Amino acid sequence: MADLRVPSVQHLARNWNQQPTAIARALVQLARNPPHFNYNPLYAAVQDMLVLGVPYDEVEKGIRRIKRENVRQNLLSVLPLIRNHFSDVSPDFYQTVGKRYYPVGRGLMVPFEPPLIYGVGGQLYFPWFSFWRTNPLAKERLALFVTLVDEILMQDPDLETARFEILDFSCPGPKQERTLRVVDARDIIRLDDRRKVEMLECFAEGYFQAVAELRGAPASPRPEERPDSRSPDPDQPGLFD
């Protein structure tokens, strides 16, 4: 059986859909065709430049040692944007944050692991890095993500005053280069509790439908779902695209 990992809070939001069957399809596809790279070298690059003061040229050389060309070029398309954003930042402190879990429903606990926090002049900053090239979080999916993160931060006295920013490194249009768009989470309207619960219940239903399908068991759709709801959704992004 293909392995279905529990998605993170960010991936939950990005793969949310009005129909649980569409969520299930996306998760099954991911389990059967998992990604073969990650952006961890960029998090290490942030720490090297921001904390250790490693020159940019040295950090770039490290990325260029990555053998797979498509992965190497993808990371190099982001690295200068990271350098420019943090070039004038001199943190008083920098630290990583331990993993937390958010209860979605039906026993499903979704992990949340902030990459880092840092402080400048008494202000705590919590940057969230969104490295998707296309289809970044937007509209209700973005509101869901920010709402959940807000709740998690408010449960931690050390993080509740942090300035939450989303660093969006996506391309503004087809065949265009990546840019950096900094989104202040304070500008995002939060979901009310009723809508949040509805969306989480929908995701949990889709997740367990995916688990059942991968185990070879039938997964029954909700009665209110129409038969044609199983048709592909062109706006539904992959988990790590």
Side-chain angles (χ1 to χ4, degrees):
M1 182 184 77
D3 182 29
L4 177 59
R5 292 189 302 164
V6 177
S8 68
V9 170
Q10 186 179 15
H11 294 118
L12 178 159
R14 192 170 190 241
N15 283 270
W16 184 84
N17 192 286
Q18 294 282 359
Q19 298 289 357
T21 48
I23 296 171
R25 282 197 306 274
L27 296 179
V28 168
Q29 182 180 12
L30 171 69
R32 291 173 174 166
N33 301 281
H36 298 292
F37 80 99
N38 57 54
Y39 288 98
N40 288 342
L42 292 179
Y43 295 124
V46 172
Q47 183 174 5
D48 287 345
M49 291 187 288
L50 192 61
V51 182
L52 303 178
V54 177
Y56 177 79
D57 290 346
E58 292 299 317
V59 175
E60 184 182 37
K61 285 180 182 177
I63 298 294
R64 290 191 180 279
R65 294 191 187 101
I66 295 174
K67 294 182 178 179
R68 292 173 56 193
E69 181 178 1
N70 62 328
V71 174
R72 183 174 66 251
Q73 294 303 323
N74 192 18
L75 300 180
L76 288 173
S77 69
V78 178
L79 191 61
L81 300 174
I82 291 178
R83 174 196 58 191
N84 295 342
H85 179 69
F86 289 106
S87 61
D88 296 327
V89 177
S90 298
D92 300 322
F93 70 90
Y94 169 107
Q95 67 184 64
T96 56
V97 182
K99 183 183 294 186
R100 291 147 169 77
Y101 291 88
Y102 190 95
V104 173
R106 296 177 57 180
L108 179 61
M109 302 291 290
V110 174
F112 174 74
E113 190 169 12
L116 60 97
I117 59 172
Y118 64 91
V120 177
Q123 174 63 58
L124 184 63
Y125 288 86
F126 164 45
W128 187 271
F129 297 80
S130 178
F131 292 125
W132 290 311
R133 182 182 292 274
T134 60
N135 299 315
L137 292 176
K139 298 181 181 178
E140 201 169 32
R141 289 176 177 135
L142 178 60
L144 175 61
F145 172 66
V146 171
T147 299
L148 299 186
V149 173
D150 241 10
E151 290 188 17
I152 296 171
L153 295 180
M154 293 300 293
Q155 293 172 5
D156 191 328
D158 295 330
L159 299 178
E160 62 181 356
T161 61
R163 182 168 178 176
F164 174 22
E165 297 178 330
I166 300 172
L167 308 184
D168 176 5
F169 294 92
S170 62
C171 301
K175 298 182 180 180
Q176 292 184 330
E177 299 296 324
R178 289 179 182 266
T179 61
L180 171 58
R181 184 172 67 99
V182 180
V183 179
D184 190 332
R186 293 174 297 184
D187 297 332
I188 306 301
I189 297 176
R190 274 52 171 176
L191 300 174
D192 60 41
D193 285 343
R194 179 192 61 79
R195 182 55 179 158
K196 179 196 70 177
V197 170
E198 286 178 351
M199 294 177 73
L200 293 180
E201 288 178 347
C202 181
F203 185 87
E205 176 67 20
Y207 175 84
F208 287 109
Q209 284 185 22
V211 170
E213 180 174 343
L214 290 168
R215 288 176 177 171
S220 301
R222 289 179 175 179
E224 66 268 25
E225 292 191 65
R226 302 185 303 275
D228 62 359
S229 68
R230 295 180 180 271
S231 60
D233 179 359
D235 294 325
Q236 176 65 19
L239 198 59
F240 291 95
D241 292 345

